[in-house]
Each structure stands twice: as C-alpha cells, then as structure tokens.
Amino acid sequence: MPSAFTHIFVGGALGKTFTAEKMPAKFWVLAAVCSIIPDIDIIGFYFGVKYGSMLGHRGFFHSLTFALIVSLLVVLLAYPAIPRFSKKWWSLLAFFFIVTVSHGFLDAMTDKGMGIGFFIPFDNTRYFLPWRPVYASPMSIARFFSHAGIEVLMREILWIWLPSIALCAVASVFRKKLRS
Ligand SMILES: [Zn+2]
C-alpha cells in the first residue's frame, strides 16, 4: 500500500475538490477514515485468512461493493438529518464512495503485492492499473523512516500528492469560472 499519510492526503484533497464550503471536523474525520478503512483487512492475516482469498488483503474490503456499504453507512449514521435521496444526500454518498474507492486505486498503482479485487464478490480477479509508479510502503514504522522509506515517500509525493494538489487547484479555478 502507499503510506497511510498518502491515503489520508488524497481523502483531504478529494474533500477540497468536492466543496469549497468550510466543512465541520466530522466531515474531514470521516473522509480520513474512509480513505484508510479498506486496510482493515490486514487483521485477517492474524486469523490465517489467505492473501488471495475473497476476504484477504486487497480483496473484498478494497472492492467497489465494500465502498458502497461504507459510504451508505456513513451517510445514514453520520448524517441522519439530511433528507434521504435528496441532492445533498446523494452528493455526500458519492463523495464518501469515491474516497473509499480511491484507496484501492492508489494500491493498484503499487509495484508489489497482489492486485485489487475491485469487483468482489462478483468476480474474484485481482487488478492492477497498467501503470504502477508507487513503491509498496514498508509495513513497519522503523523501516518507513529509513532510507528506503524516504524514497517511497518521495515517489508518493511526486505521483500522488502533487496531482492531488493540482486536482484541488483545477476544481477551485473551475468553481470561480462557474460563479463569474
Ligand atoms: Zn490497501
């Protein structure tokens, strides 16, 4: 996986792309949680779940179906006051869905491990993007801050952080154009 920082950074950048409004802390905390929640499947390793199985790492919990479940739960539980199926409701649902799915896409850009089971439970195939410039992040904190860890981070900044900032900038220019 790219580092957790990078997943959260992308969640934040998507938030800034989604809206120019000043959002409450709850919104940002939920975006951060959604950006990293798919890695909850790492717990499976400790219970002997096989990497390549449906419930293995980068399997179901990295799928579009799981992202839909998560985003529905977020909108239903964290935003009960927003009328269901209203425009605001759908846009929040879409936002949290995209943030959760972004995790799998970033993982699919890494050079190691197994691909992502985007279509589980309908199709157990694991997918990578055709272009994988990101190095898999060392799992341990000590190794993360080592020399290799710095290189991992530099690649993430170049290929993920900078394009994310560019996305926010484009969205803000676009918004200004729409307003004027
Ligand atoms: Zn992951």
Side-chain angles (χ1 to χ4, degrees):
M1 57 170 181
S3 57
F5 307 118
T6 292
H7 283 301
I8 293 172
F9 187 89
V10 169
L14 287 170
K16 284 278 171 206
T17 305
F18 172 68
T19 179
E21 278 175 51
K22 197 167 174 359
M23 300 302 270
K26 177 173 87 172
F27 174 83
W28 299 109
V29 170
L30 288 169
V33 169
C34 286
S35 75
I36 50 176
I37 192 107
D39 279 341
I40 199 167
D41 58 15
I42 290 171
I43 294 169
F45 279 134
Y46 299 99
F47 294 99
V49 178
K50 291 251 157 51
Y51 198 162
S53 75
M54 255 189 188
L55 293 178
H57 184 43
R58 292 184 169 181
F60 173 71
F61 294 93
H62 283 59
S63 70
L64 302 178
T65 304
F66 178 72
L68 186 62
I69 294 169
V70 167
S71 49
L72 269 172
L73 285 175
V74 166
V75 179
L76 292 176
L77 300 178
Y79 294 94
I82 293 179
R84 255 176 234 179
F85 312 121
S86 63
K87 202 176 150 211
K88 179 133 198 228
W89 190 89
W90 281 113
S91 67
L92 279 171
L93 180 75
F95 170 71
F96 289 110
F97 175 78
I98 288 168
V99 172
T100 313
V101 166
S102 78
H103 181 108
F105 271 91
L106 297 180
D107 281 1
M109 286 165 65
T110 56
D111 64 331
K112 283 198 196 74
M114 286 188 79
I116 312 303
F118 285 115
F119 305 110
I120 291 175
F122 307 104
D123 163 19
N124 205 9
T125 312
R126 299 297 192 95
Y127 297 88
F128 275 114
L129 293 188
W131 179 66
R132 293 155 65 184
V134 178
Y135 291 150
S137 170
M139 290 278 185
S140 85
I141 297 288
R143 276 195 46 219
F144 185 79
F145 287 103
S146 68
H147 190 71
I150 298 297
E151 203 179 331
V152 169
L153 194 60
M154 292 319 273
R155 286 205 151 224
E156 291 183 7
I157 288 170
L158 178 64
W159 296 113
I160 304 175
W161 295 39
L162 293 180
S164 300
I165 293 166
L167 179 71
C168 297
V170 168
S172 117
V173 169
F174 197 68
R175 247 185 238 119
K176 272 190 199 128
K177 276 250 155 67
L178 274 182
R179 239 179 276 138
S180 61

